[in-house]
Amino acid sequence: VPVLLFVAAPYIRRYVAGGRCKSTAKMEGKVVIITGANTGIGKETARDLARRGKVIIACRDIAKAEAAASEIRAETGNQQVIVKKLDLADTKSIREFAEKFLADEKELHILINNAGVMLCPYSKTADGFEMHMGVNHLGHFLLTFLLLERLKQSAPARIVNVSSLAHHGGRIRFHDLHGEKSYNRGLAYCHSKLANVLFTRELARRLQGKNTKGTKVTANALHPGSVYSDLVRHSFLMTWLWKIFSFFLKTPWEGAQTSVYCAVAEELDSVTGQYFSDCQPAYVSPRGRDDETARKLWSVSCELLGIQWD
């Protein structure tokens, strides 16, 4: 058995690694925002895109973000890797980030909503939202709303939402969106990842609608794969399992490939409202294709955030 495993190891690793973004597209003069890019797949996405254009790392932890940016600048030779503070668990911080960005930058070509929390013990954001739904969905929903006009002005532009295969286990529980009646942290993560898929679907529909005259802004979602990162830090069991089975998990670089693909691949110029995994279209759960739920979630999200987004 050990001999067989040794022989099979390279093939297993190749299978686990999954798809790879082969695009060499350059992005001179283009601006990218990546949320949560101080670690894991966000950092690797930033590293790749810094070889192509200007990257803004939007993070809550400025010290970690500056360390990541410094490393990326040194490695790529691109000094246009900039850190800006963004706490997705606080709508005040999101609004401040957007206001500062819009004052500093005249263009935005790619928005990658990458940051996320997973398996948190029950807690709420500064605005009283359940943490998974608040950060993973509502925070990015508000950020996208605030930056959308700049994306339209800079078009062609892309919005990339990092979701997960976990959306298959999710439901949008409108009667208990913030888990006050019942809470399971694994399911809470799944619910928020389903919200990412539904948000992408409805956003793409609206961007293609008659009223927008078909803006050249696309929106796609993706599953990065099962990645060996610190996203599972809130669960001792998952951290332990991740270490044991790390050989069968993607590295952060491998996990970033589909994010990079959705951001730069030329063949996706006019593709919108889709869901990708391993740099190719992937199956979306029936709940993730429910347009009625997508529209209702949009409306409820606007209500919770106190915004009008028609």
Side-chain angles (χ1 to χ4, degrees), residues 35-79:
T35 66
N38 63 328
T39 186
I41 65 170
K43 182 179 174 183
E44 292 305 322
T45 304
R47 196 192 306 273
D48 182 291
L49 297 183
R51 294 191 174 95
R52 306 171 192 252
K54 182 173 183 175
V55 174
I56 291 166
I57 291 176
C59 286
R60 180 172 52 90
D61 190 324
I62 292 293
K64 282 185 181 175
E66 284 292 1
S70 178
E71 181 188 315
I72 292 167
R73 284 193 289 262
E75 189 179 313
T76 63
N78 181 2
Q79 297 309 302

mmCIF file of all heavy atoms in Angstrom, residues 35-79:
data_model
loop_
_atom_site.group_PDB
_atom_site.id
_atom_site.type_symbol
_atom_site.label_atom_id
_atom_site.label_comp_id
_atom_site.label_asym_id
_atom_site.label_seq_id
_atom_site.Cartn_x
_atom_site.Cartn_y
_atom_site.Cartn_z
ATOM 1 N N THR A 35 -11.155 41.809 -1.706
ATOM 2 C CA THR A 35 -11.402 41.833 -0.261
ATOM 3 C C THR A 35 -10.751 40.608 0.381
ATOM 4 O O THR A 35 -10.682 39.538 -0.218
ATOM 5 C CB THR A 35 -12.910 41.858 0.056
ATOM 6 O OG1 THR A 35 -13.516 40.619 -0.354
ATOM 7 C CG2 THR A 35 -13.609 43.017 -0.651
ATOM 8 N N GLY A 36 -10.254 40.804 1.601
ATOM 9 C CA GLY A 36 -9.645 39.701 2.344
ATOM 10 C C GLY A 36 -8.431 39.112 1.661
ATOM 11 O O GLY A 36 -8.236 37.898 1.638
ATOM 12 N N ALA A 37 -7.576 39.975 1.104
ATOM 13 C CA ALA A 37 -6.433 39.482 0.324
ATOM 14 C C ALA A 37 -5.134 39.437 1.114
ATOM 15 O O ALA A 37 -4.056 39.437 0.544
ATOM 16 C CB ALA A 37 -6.254 40.344 -0.924
ATOM 17 N N ASN A 38 -5.239 39.383 2.436
ATOM 18 C CA ASN A 38 -4.017 39.327 3.246
ATOM 19 C C ASN A 38 -3.573 37.896 3.531
ATOM 20 O O ASN A 38 -2.506 37.658 4.074
ATOM 21 C CB ASN A 38 -4.215 40.086 4.568
ATOM 22 C CG ASN A 38 -5.295 39.468 5.427
ATOM 23 O OD1 ASN A 38 -6.254 38.909 4.913
ATOM 24 N ND2 ASN A 38 -5.147 39.562 6.738
ATOM 25 N N THR A 39 -4.411 36.918 3.163
ATOM 26 C CA THR A 39 -4.083 35.524 3.453
ATOM 27 C C THR A 39 -4.814 34.598 2.476
ATOM 28 O O THR A 39 -5.711 35.035 1.752
ATOM 29 C CB THR A 39 -4.484 35.174 4.914
ATOM 30 O OG1 THR A 39 -4.038 33.852 5.230
ATOM 31 C CG2 THR A 39 -5.993 35.241 5.115
ATOM 32 N N GLY A 40 -4.427 33.317 2.459
ATOM 33 C CA GLY A 40 -5.144 32.306 1.686
ATOM 34 C C GLY A 40 -5.278 32.600 0.208
ATOM 35 O O GLY A 40 -4.395 33.167 -0.431
ATOM 36 N N ILE A 41 -6.445 32.230 -0.348
ATOM 37 C CA ILE A 41 -6.634 32.379 -1.800
ATOM 38 C C ILE A 41 -6.704 33.853 -2.210
ATOM 39 O O ILE A 41 -6.334 34.197 -3.325
ATOM 40 C CB ILE A 41 -7.867 31.600 -2.322
ATOM 41 C CG1 ILE A 41 -9.164 32.163 -1.756
ATOM 42 C CG2 ILE A 41 -7.741 30.120 -2.031
ATOM 43 C CD1 ILE A 41 -10.396 31.598 -2.428
ATOM 44 N N GLY A 42 -7.151 34.711 -1.303
ATOM 45 C CA GLY A 42 -7.191 36.139 -1.624
ATOM 46 C C GLY A 42 -5.808 36.696 -1.872
ATOM 47 O O GLY A 42 -5.585 37.462 -2.817
ATOM 48 N N LYS A 43 -4.874 36.292 -1.032
ATOM 49 C CA LYS A 43 -3.488 36.746 -1.174
ATOM 50 C C LYS A 43 -2.876 36.218 -2.475
ATOM 51 O O LYS A 43 -2.169 36.944 -3.184
ATOM 52 C CB LYS A 43 -2.664 36.277 0.035
ATOM 53 C CG LYS A 43 -1.214 36.736 0.013
ATOM 54 C CD LYS A 43 -0.496 36.239 1.252
ATOM 55 C CE LYS A 43 0.992 36.537 1.220
ATOM 56 N NZ LYS A 43 1.689 35.977 2.399
ATOM 57 N N GLU A 44 -3.159 34.956 -2.797
ATOM 58 C CA GLU A 44 -2.617 34.376 -4.031
ATOM 59 C C GLU A 44 -3.254 35.008 -5.272
ATOM 60 O O GLU A 44 -2.598 35.175 -6.297
ATOM 61 C CB GLU A 44 -2.818 32.857 -4.044
ATOM 62 C CG GLU A 44 -1.990 32.122 -3.000
ATOM 63 C CD GLU A 44 -0.497 32.425 -3.098
ATOM 64 O OE1 GLU A 44 0.015 32.550 -4.239
ATOM 65 O OE2 GLU A 44 0.154 32.537 -2.056
ATOM 66 N N THR A 45 -4.529 35.377 -5.158
ATOM 67 C CA THR A 45 -5.198 36.087 -6.258
ATOM 68 C C THR A 45 -4.536 37.445 -6.459
ATOM 69 O O THR A 45 -4.249 37.862 -7.587
ATOM 70 C CB THR A 45 -6.699 36.263 -5.945
ATOM 71 O OG1 THR A 45 -7.287 34.984 -5.691
ATOM 72 C CG2 THR A 45 -7.423 36.921 -7.110
ATOM 73 N N ALA A 46 -4.270 38.127 -5.352
ATOM 74 C CA ALA A 46 -3.602 39.436 -5.413
ATOM 75 C C ALA A 46 -2.203 39.304 -6.008
ATOM 76 O O ALA A 46 -1.776 40.141 -6.819
ATOM 77 C CB ALA A 46 -3.523 40.046 -4.017
ATOM 78 N N ARG A 47 -1.490 38.254 -5.627
ATOM 79 C CA ARG A 47 -0.128 38.030 -6.139
ATOM 80 C C ARG A 47 -0.144 37.868 -7.670
ATOM 81 O O ARG A 47 0.685 38.437 -8.373
ATOM 82 C CB ARG A 47 0.475 36.785 -5.483
ATOM 83 C CG ARG A 47 1.985 36.668 -5.640
ATOM 84 C CD ARG A 47 2.478 35.289 -5.238
ATOM 85 N NE ARG A 47 2.072 34.876 -3.924
ATOM 86 C CZ ARG A 47 2.726 35.141 -2.784
ATOM 87 N NH1 ARG A 47 3.828 35.868 -2.837
ATOM 88 N NH2 ARG A 47 2.296 34.703 -1.623
ATOM 89 N N ASP A 48 -1.098 37.082 -8.160
ATOM 90 C CA ASP A 48 -1.199 36.870 -9.611
ATOM 91 C C ASP A 48 -1.582 38.165 -10.324
ATOM 92 O O ASP A 48 -0.943 38.563 -11.313
ATOM 93 C CB ASP A 48 -2.242 35.786 -9.912
ATOM 94 C CG ASP A 48 -2.348 35.496 -11.402
ATOM 95 O OD1 ASP A 48 -2.844 36.385 -12.141
ATOM 96 O OD2 ASP A 48 -1.940 34.411 -11.844
ATOM 97 N N LEU A 49 -2.617 38.840 -9.835
ATOM 98 C CA LEU A 49 -3.109 40.030 -10.528
ATOM 99 C C LEU A 49 -2.139 41.206 -10.429
ATOM 100 O O LEU A 49 -2.153 42.092 -11.285
ATOM 101 C CB LEU A 49 -4.494 40.408 -9.999
ATOM 102 C CG LEU A 49 -5.585 39.353 -10.250
ATOM 103 C CD1 LEU A 49 -6.934 39.839 -9.768
ATOM 104 C CD2 LEU A 49 -5.663 38.957 -11.723
ATOM 105 N N ALA A 50 -1.279 41.196 -9.409
ATOM 106 C CA ALA A 50 -0.259 42.251 -9.276
ATOM 107 C C ALA A 50 0.779 42.146 -10.396
ATOM 108 O O ALA A 50 1.485 43.107 -10.680
ATOM 109 C CB ALA A 50 0.418 42.169 -7.912
ATOM 110 N N ARG A 51 0.866 40.992 -11.020
ATOM 111 C CA ARG A 51 1.769 40.837 -12.168
ATOM 112 C C ARG A 51 1.128 41.410 -13.434
ATOM 113 O O ARG A 51 1.755 41.469 -14.483
ATOM 114 C CB ARG A 51 2.099 39.353 -12.387
ATOM 115 C CG ARG A 51 2.915 38.741 -11.256
ATOM 116 C CD ARG A 51 3.460 37.359 -11.633
ATOM 117 N NE ARG A 51 4.344 36.870 -10.592
ATOM 118 C CZ ARG A 51 3.975 36.058 -9.600
ATOM 119 N NH1 ARG A 51 2.716 35.653 -9.527
ATOM 120 N NH2 ARG A 51 4.836 35.663 -8.694
ATOM 121 N N ARG A 52 -0.144 41.796 -13.322
ATOM 122 C CA ARG A 52 -0.888 42.250 -14.499
ATOM 123 C C ARG A 52 -1.329 43.709 -14.410
ATOM 124 O O ARG A 52 -1.493 44.371 -15.430
ATOM 125 C CB ARG A 52 -2.132 41.367 -14.692
ATOM 126 C CG ARG A 52 -1.837 39.866 -14.759
ATOM 127 C CD ARG A 52 -3.138 39.087 -14.721
ATOM 128 N NE ARG A 52 -2.950 37.656 -14.495
ATOM 129 C CZ ARG A 52 -3.114 36.698 -15.408
ATOM 130 N NH1 ARG A 52 -3.450 37.028 -16.645
ATOM 131 N NH2 ARG A 52 -2.950 35.428 -15.110
ATOM 132 N N GLY A 53 -1.591 44.208 -13.190
ATOM 133 C CA GLY A 53 -2.106 45.566 -13.050
ATOM 134 C C GLY A 53 -2.120 46.043 -11.606
ATOM 135 O O GLY A 53 -1.469 45.453 -10.739
ATOM 136 N N LYS A 54 -2.867 47.105 -11.346
ATOM 137 C CA LYS A 54 -2.932 47.722 -10.016
ATOM 138 C C LYS A 54 -3.906 46.961 -9.123
ATOM 139 O O LYS A 54 -5.040 46.684 -9.525
ATOM 140 C CB LYS A 54 -3.386 49.181 -10.151
ATOM 141 C CG LYS A 54 -3.437 49.941 -8.837
ATOM 142 C CD LYS A 54 -3.719 51.407 -9.088
ATOM 143 C CE LYS A 54 -3.705 52.218 -7.813
ATOM 144 N NZ LYS A 54 -3.863 53.664 -8.066
ATOM 145 N N VAL A 55 -3.467 46.639 -7.921
ATOM 146 C CA VAL A 55 -4.284 45.850 -6.998
ATOM 147 C C VAL A 55 -4.483 46.580 -5.673
ATOM 148 O O VAL A 55 -3.523 47.055 -5.063
ATOM 149 C CB VAL A 55 -3.624 44.468 -6.725
ATOM 150 C CG1 VAL A 55 -4.398 43.708 -5.659
ATOM 151 C CG2 VAL A 55 -3.547 43.643 -8.000
ATOM 152 N N ILE A 56 -5.735 46.648 -5.251
ATOM 153 C CA ILE A 56 -6.047 47.222 -3.945
ATOM 154 C C ILE A 56 -6.497 46.095 -3.028
ATOM 155 O O ILE A 56 -7.471 45.392 -3.313
ATOM 156 C CB ILE A 56 -7.118 48.326 -4.061
ATOM 157 C CG1 ILE A 56 -6.495 49.526 -4.786
ATOM 158 C CG2 ILE A 56 -7.634 48.731 -2.682
ATOM 159 C CD1 ILE A 56 -7.458 50.539 -5.266
ATOM 160 N N ILE A 57 -5.735 45.920 -1.961
ATOM 161 C CA ILE A 57 -6.035 44.895 -0.962
ATOM 162 C C ILE A 57 -6.915 45.535 0.108
ATOM 163 O O ILE A 57 -6.485 46.457 0.795
ATOM 164 C CB ILE A 57 -4.728 44.344 -0.357
ATOM 165 C CG1 ILE A 57 -3.961 43.534 -1.417
ATOM 166 C CG2 ILE A 57 -4.986 43.528 0.894
ATOM 167 C CD1 ILE A 57 -2.619 43.027 -0.957
ATOM 168 N N ALA A 58 -8.153 45.055 0.211
ATOM 169 C CA ALA A 58 -9.114 45.627 1.164
ATOM 170 C C ALA A 58 -9.296 44.668 2.332
ATOM 171 O O ALA A 58 -9.874 43.594 2.170
ATOM 172 C CB ALA A 58 -10.450 45.866 0.462
ATOM 173 N N CYS A 59 -8.769 45.053 3.508
ATOM 174 C CA CYS A 59 -8.741 44.140 4.657
ATOM 175 C C CYS A 59 -9.043 44.835 5.974
ATOM 176 O O CYS A 59 -8.824 46.036 6.123
ATOM 177 C CB CYS A 59 -7.355 43.507 4.779
ATOM 178 S SG CYS A 59 -7.037 42.265 3.545
ATOM 179 N N ARG A 60 -9.493 44.024 6.914
ATOM 180 C CA ARG A 60 -9.766 44.519 8.266
ATOM 181 C C ARG A 60 -8.467 44.686 9.050
ATOM 182 O O ARG A 60 -8.270 45.659 9.758
ATOM 183 C CB ARG A 60 -10.696 43.514 8.970
ATOM 184 C CG ARG A 60 -11.096 43.867 10.392
ATOM 185 C CD ARG A 60 -12.152 42.890 10.884
ATOM 186 N NE ARG A 60 -11.731 41.508 10.696
ATOM 187 C CZ ARG A 60 -11.044 40.798 11.593
ATOM 188 N NH1 ARG A 60 -10.680 41.346 12.738
ATOM 189 N NH2 ARG A 60 -10.715 39.553 11.361
ATOM 190 N N ASP A 61 -7.570 43.696 8.917
ATOM 191 C CA ASP A 61 -6.306 43.707 9.656
ATOM 192 C C ASP A 61 -5.218 44.379 8.810
ATOM 193 O O ASP A 61 -4.602 43.765 7.941
ATOM 194 C CB ASP A 61 -5.898 42.267 10.002
ATOM 195 C CG ASP A 61 -4.731 42.190 10.971
ATOM 196 O OD1 ASP A 61 -3.832 43.051 10.878
ATOM 197 O OD2 ASP A 61 -4.713 41.268 11.807
ATOM 198 N N ILE A 62 -4.981 45.653 9.081
ATOM 199 C CA ILE A 62 -4.037 46.448 8.280
ATOM 200 C C ILE A 62 -2.608 45.925 8.376
ATOM 201 O O ILE A 62 -1.878 45.889 7.380
ATOM 202 C CB ILE A 62 -4.099 47.940 8.704
ATOM 203 C CG1 ILE A 62 -5.445 48.544 8.306
ATOM 204 C CG2 ILE A 62 -2.973 48.742 8.072
ATOM 205 C CD1 ILE A 62 -5.685 48.666 6.823
ATOM 206 N N ALA A 63 -2.195 45.498 9.553
ATOM 207 C CA ALA A 63 -0.820 45.005 9.732
ATOM 208 C C ALA A 63 -0.565 43.777 8.851
ATOM 209 O O ALA A 63 0.452 43.701 8.152
ATOM 210 C CB ALA A 63 -0.565 44.674 11.199
ATOM 211 N N LYS A 64 -1.496 42.824 8.869
ATOM 212 C CA LYS A 64 -1.356 41.613 8.036
ATOM 213 C C LYS A 64 -1.429 41.968 6.554
ATOM 214 O O LYS A 64 -0.714 41.406 5.729
ATOM 215 C CB LYS A 64 -2.457 40.604 8.375
ATOM 216 C CG LYS A 64 -2.201 39.817 9.652
ATOM 217 C CD LYS A 64 -3.275 38.767 9.837
ATOM 218 C CE LYS A 64 -3.060 37.984 11.127
ATOM 219 N NZ LYS A 64 -4.165 37.042 11.390
ATOM 220 N N ALA A 65 -2.304 42.899 6.226
ATOM 221 C CA ALA A 65 -2.466 43.305 4.831
ATOM 222 C C ALA A 65 -1.200 43.987 4.307
ATOM 223 O O ALA A 65 -0.770 43.740 3.185
ATOM 224 C CB ALA A 65 -3.668 44.231 4.693
ATOM 225 N N GLU A 66 -0.595 44.852 5.128
ATOM 226 C CA GLU A 66 0.640 45.541 4.736
ATOM 227 C C GLU A 66 1.781 44.547 4.545
ATOM 228 O O GLU A 66 2.593 44.690 3.624
ATOM 229 C CB GLU A 66 1.023 46.602 5.778
ATOM 230 C CG GLU A 66 0.184 47.863 5.725
ATOM 231 C CD GLU A 66 0.412 48.707 4.474
ATOM 232 O OE1 GLU A 66 1.219 48.326 3.605
ATOM 233 O OE2 GLU A 66 -0.257 49.753 4.358
ATOM 234 N N ALA A 67 1.832 43.523 5.418
ATOM 235 C CA ALA A 67 2.875 42.493 5.292
ATOM 236 C C ALA A 67 2.695 41.735 3.974
ATOM 237 O O ALA A 67 3.664 41.479 3.254
ATOM 238 C CB ALA A 67 2.807 41.533 6.481
ATOM 239 N N ALA A 68 1.442 41.385 3.647
ATOM 240 C CA ALA A 68 1.150 40.673 2.392
ATOM 241 C C ALA A 68 1.473 41.555 1.194
ATOM 242 O O ALA A 68 2.106 41.104 0.226
ATOM 243 C CB ALA A 68 -0.318 40.256 2.364
ATOM 244 N N ALA A 69 1.078 42.824 1.248
ATOM 245 C CA ALA A 69 1.317 43.755 0.138
ATOM 246 C C ALA A 69 2.807 43.967 -0.094
ATOM 247 O O ALA A 69 3.276 43.994 -1.244
ATOM 248 C CB ALA A 69 0.635 45.088 0.417
ATOM 249 N N SER A 70 3.549 44.090 0.999
ATOM 250 C CA SER A 70 4.994 44.286 0.914
ATOM 251 C C SER A 70 5.675 43.095 0.230
ATOM 252 O O SER A 70 6.532 43.251 -0.632
ATOM 253 C CB SER A 70 5.554 44.483 2.328
ATOM 254 O OG SER A 70 6.941 44.636 2.287
ATOM 255 N N GLU A 71 5.228 41.901 0.617
ATOM 256 C CA GLU A 71 5.759 40.664 0.029
ATOM 257 C C GLU A 71 5.437 40.605 -1.471
ATOM 258 O O GLU A 71 6.296 40.267 -2.292
ATOM 259 C CB GLU A 71 5.118 39.472 0.752
ATOM 260 C CG GLU A 71 5.573 38.109 0.268
ATOM 261 C CD GLU A 71 4.749 36.980 0.885
ATOM 262 O OE1 GLU A 71 4.506 37.022 2.117
ATOM 263 O OE2 GLU A 71 4.346 36.077 0.144
ATOM 264 N N ILE A 72 4.212 40.952 -1.832
ATOM 265 C CA ILE A 72 3.783 40.911 -3.230
ATOM 266 C C ILE A 72 4.512 41.968 -4.062
ATOM 267 O O ILE A 72 4.947 41.704 -5.187
ATOM 268 C CB ILE A 72 2.245 41.080 -3.334
ATOM 269 C CG1 ILE A 72 1.548 39.845 -2.748
ATOM 270 C CG2 ILE A 72 1.811 41.291 -4.785
ATOM 271 C CD1 ILE A 72 0.051 40.011 -2.515
ATOM 272 N N ARG A 73 4.679 43.152 -3.494
ATOM 273 C CA ARG A 73 5.418 44.222 -4.207
ATOM 274 C C ARG A 73 6.851 43.784 -4.495
ATOM 275 O O ARG A 73 7.362 43.975 -5.592
ATOM 276 C CB ARG A 73 5.420 45.514 -3.380
ATOM 277 C CG ARG A 73 4.098 46.275 -3.421
ATOM 278 C CD ARG A 73 4.248 47.671 -2.858
ATOM 279 N NE ARG A 73 4.442 47.664 -1.424
ATOM 280 C CZ ARG A 73 3.476 47.872 -0.524
ATOM 281 N NH1 ARG A 73 2.239 48.113 -0.918
ATOM 282 N NH2 ARG A 73 3.743 47.844 0.766
ATOM 283 N N ALA A 74 7.496 43.184 -3.481
ATOM 284 C CA ALA A 74 8.885 42.742 -3.630
ATOM 285 C C ALA A 74 8.997 41.643 -4.690
ATOM 286 O O ALA A 74 9.936 41.627 -5.491
ATOM 287 C CB ALA A 74 9.415 42.248 -2.289
ATOM 288 N N GLU A 75 8.034 40.739 -4.692
ATOM 289 C CA GLU A 75 8.094 39.596 -5.611
ATOM 290 C C GLU A 75 7.747 39.970 -7.054
ATOM 291 O O GLU A 75 8.356 39.465 -7.994
ATOM 292 C CB GLU A 75 7.129 38.502 -5.128
ATOM 293 C CG GLU A 75 7.281 37.199 -5.882
ATOM 294 C CD GLU A 75 6.341 36.123 -5.369
ATOM 295 O OE1 GLU A 75 6.259 35.945 -4.137
ATOM 296 O OE2 GLU A 75 5.689 35.473 -6.199
ATOM 297 N N THR A 76 6.766 40.857 -7.225
ATOM 298 C CA THR A 76 6.299 41.181 -8.574
ATOM 299 C C THR A 76 6.956 42.435 -9.154
ATOM 300 O O THR A 76 6.897 42.664 -10.362
ATOM 301 C CB THR A 76 4.772 41.415 -8.577
ATOM 302 O OG1 THR A 76 4.472 42.549 -7.745
ATOM 303 C CG2 THR A 76 4.030 40.196 -8.062
ATOM 304 N N GLY A 77 7.548 43.252 -8.285
ATOM 305 C CA GLY A 77 8.132 44.504 -8.745
ATOM 306 C C GLY A 77 7.079 45.571 -9.002
ATOM 307 O O GLY A 77 7.383 46.660 -9.491
ATOM 308 N N ASN A 78 5.827 45.268 -8.681
ATOM 309 C CA ASN A 78 4.729 46.213 -8.887
ATOM 310 C C ASN A 78 4.491 47.002 -7.600
ATOM 311 O O ASN A 78 4.073 46.433 -6.589
ATOM 312 C CB ASN A 78 3.458 45.453 -9.299
ATOM 313 C CG ASN A 78 2.280 46.381 -9.564
ATOM 314 O OD1 ASN A 78 2.400 47.608 -9.489
ATOM 315 N ND2 ASN A 78 1.136 45.789 -9.869
ATOM 316 N N GLN A 79 4.758 48.286 -7.640
ATOM 317 C CA GLN A 79 4.560 49.128 -6.450
ATOM 318 C C GLN A 79 3.097 49.542 -6.289
ATOM 319 O O GLN A 79 2.716 50.104 -5.273
ATOM 320 C CB GLN A 79 5.457 50.381 -6.530
ATOM 321 C CG GLN A 79 6.947 50.057 -6.537
ATOM 322 C CD GLN A 79 7.358 49.122 -5.400
ATOM 323 O OE1 GLN A 79 7.142 49.441 -4.224
ATOM 324 N NE2 GLN A 79 7.924 47.979 -5.744
#
